[in-house]
Amino acid sequence: MSAKLILGTEIREQILEEITQEVAQIKEKHGKVPGLVTILVGANPASMSYVTLKIQTAHRVGFHEVQDSQPETISEADLLALIDKYNKDENINGILVQLPLPKHIDEKKVLNAIDPDKDVDGFHPVNVGRLMIGGSEVKFAPCTPAGIQEMIVRAGVETKGAEVVVVGRSNIVGKPIAVMMVQKGRGANSTVTVVHTGTKDLAAHCKRADILIVAAGVPELVKPEWIKPGACVIDVGVNRVGEKISEKTGKKIAILRGDVDFEKAKEIAGYITPVPGGVGPMTITMLMLNTLRSLKYKLGLM
Ligand code: GUN
């Protein structure tokens, strides 16, 4: 048996189309479009390419988008002042500060300075608290976990009563997705176990999973024999394991591997996400959805 692939690249297109249509409707009725600012400090190549993609996607769905690039040497005080400016800007509904920040800047201080009602990354402690409470309290779920949940729902995988095992306990993926899957409601109501580097028998837990969500950052950590036949496997890992020459462009590109041995796992799982092309494209898509939500809250539409 070969698993059904859950493709982020396809689901992204559906959701971006839905967003584009809703943005056009809101513009016609209310004369407003969602505004997103991305703040990039320095010139980290990976951050630059992420930010470019975020801005291109925002443009594609009809948002007002601002790319604010600042030098590596910007002081913490100046960066905080910049955030304050966008907190007060009526045309901006979402503020994203691309991480990581240079060492002389306190990342926590910067993230905490963003107005929680414009925190479309969902990283502010207020939004983390709202996520924990659940239900209508949630304004912005963090983008990668939100993308994972959306993929599971759109693939038609039953979550109610499912045994969900999350591998990894990061603040960006592991902990929030565990909280989201345990809540009542759509794409949730699951029984959740979080396993991590302190877990005694990783394999035994994974083998019980109807839905296995792996965000460990260790290439091919999850072995095929740890997967329950028919399970839904969501691989969040993006590990650079080498370089190759692209057949399309002739340029050097990274060889990427997930946290799961995909080739063997797909013969056992019922559903699986590939790397690349699985969870990755969903993160920016959910950022767009959060920015749209932010405007809708402001207009009293949700
Ligand atoms: N750097 C890598 N991923 C992310 C993300 O999702 N949000 C922000 N702000 N920075 C990142």
Side-chain angles (χ1 to χ4, degrees):
M1 186 189 78
S2 200
K4 183 175 183 296
L5 290 183
I6 309 179
L7 297 172
T9 44
E10 278 180 11
I11 299 173
R12 167 183 62 192
E13 295 307 309
Q14 293 164 12
I15 297 175
L16 291 181
E17 192 47 45
E18 291 162 16
I19 294 174
T20 306
Q21 285 180 17
E22 203 171 347
V23 168
Q25 283 164 8
I26 292 174
K27 187 177 179 182
E28 196 180 313
K29 247 191 173 165
H30 301 271
K32 300 233 182 276
V33 297
L36 174 69
V37 60
T38 55
I39 302 175
L40 173 68
V41 178
N44 175 319
S47 292
M48 283 167 73
S49 81
Y50 280 133
V51 162
T52 303
L53 206 54
K54 286 171 188 176
I55 286 295
Q56 280 172 352
T57 311
H59 183 75
R60 171 183 161 182
V61 294
F63 288 4
H64 162 59
E65 91 286 339
V66 178
Q67 182 171 352
D68 192 329
S69 294
Q70 295 293 328
E72 180 90 19
T73 50
I74 188 174
S75 69
E76 187 179 281
D78 285 351
L79 184 56
L80 292 172
L82 192 66
I83 289 169
D84 191 47
K85 182 185 97 170
Y86 289 118
N87 280 343
K88 291 175 179 146
D89 188 333
E90 285 291 315
N91 294 318
I92 293 296
N93 305 101
I95 301 172
L96 180 132
V97 179
Q98 186 66 26
L99 303 176
L101 289 170
K103 289 209 167 49
H104 67 278
I105 296 174
D106 182 346
E107 218 161 79
K108 218 193 279 179
K109 221 177 190 176
V110 169
L111 294 181
N112 291 0
I114 297 171
D115 178 347
D117 291 344
K118 295 190 178 186
D119 167 41
V120 285
D121 254 331
F123 292 164
H124 192 287
V126 165
N127 285 317
V128 177
R130 287 170 173 164
L131 193 76
M132 179 66 90
I133 295 167
S136 61
E137 202 66 31
V138 181
K139 272 203 150 173
F140 306 117
C143 300
T144 302
I148 292 169
Q149 194 175 40
E150 197 60 38
M151 294 177 99
I152 294 171
V153 168
R154 291 192 186 224
V157 174
E158 178 61 87
T159 57
K160 183 169 176 247
E163 289 284 340
V164 172
V165 175
V166 178
V167 184
R169 55 178 158 186
S170 70
N171 287 326
I172 291 181
V173 185
K175 283 194 268 184
I177 191 65
V179 165
M180 289 162 73
M181 298 304 290
V182 92
Q183 308 284 18
K184 286 184 179 165
R186 170 182 177 266
N189 230 346
S190 309
T191 303
V192 180
T193 306
V194 181
V195 299
H196 44 76
T197 47
T199 299
K200 279 187 185 146
D201 190 346
L202 210 56
H205 288 288
C206 291
K207 282 178 188 173
R208 283 191 296 104
D210 300 313
I211 300 174
L212 182 60
I213 301 171
V214 194
V218 180
E220 300 183 344
L221 169 76
V222 171
K223 309 294 174 238
E225 59 273 21
W226 298 7
I227 295 167
K228 181 171 162 179
C232 171
V233 178
I234 307 288
D235 189 350
V236 191
V238 184
N239 305 291
R240 285 164 197 259
V241 296
E243 283 182 337
K244 63 177 179 185
I245 302 293
S246 163
E247 280 175 23
K248 263 194 212 156
T249 63
K251 287 186 184 163
K252 242 193 227 174
I253 53 166
I255 301 171
L256 301 178
R257 289 271 184 283
D259 289 351
V260 177
D261 181 345
F262 176 79
E263 286 305 322
K264 292 188 185 132
K266 77 179 193 327
E267 300 304 321
I268 301 163
Y271 298 82
I272 193 165
T273 61
V275 177
V279 175
M282 294 301 291
T283 301
I284 292 179
T285 306
M286 301 319 279
L287 177 72
M288 300 304 133
L289 208 52
N290 275 349
T291 308
L292 172 60
R293 282 173 73 98
S294 181
L295 176 64
K296 284 164 73 179
Y297 282 121
K298 196 174 160 198
L299 296 175
L301 301 176
M302 54 187 310

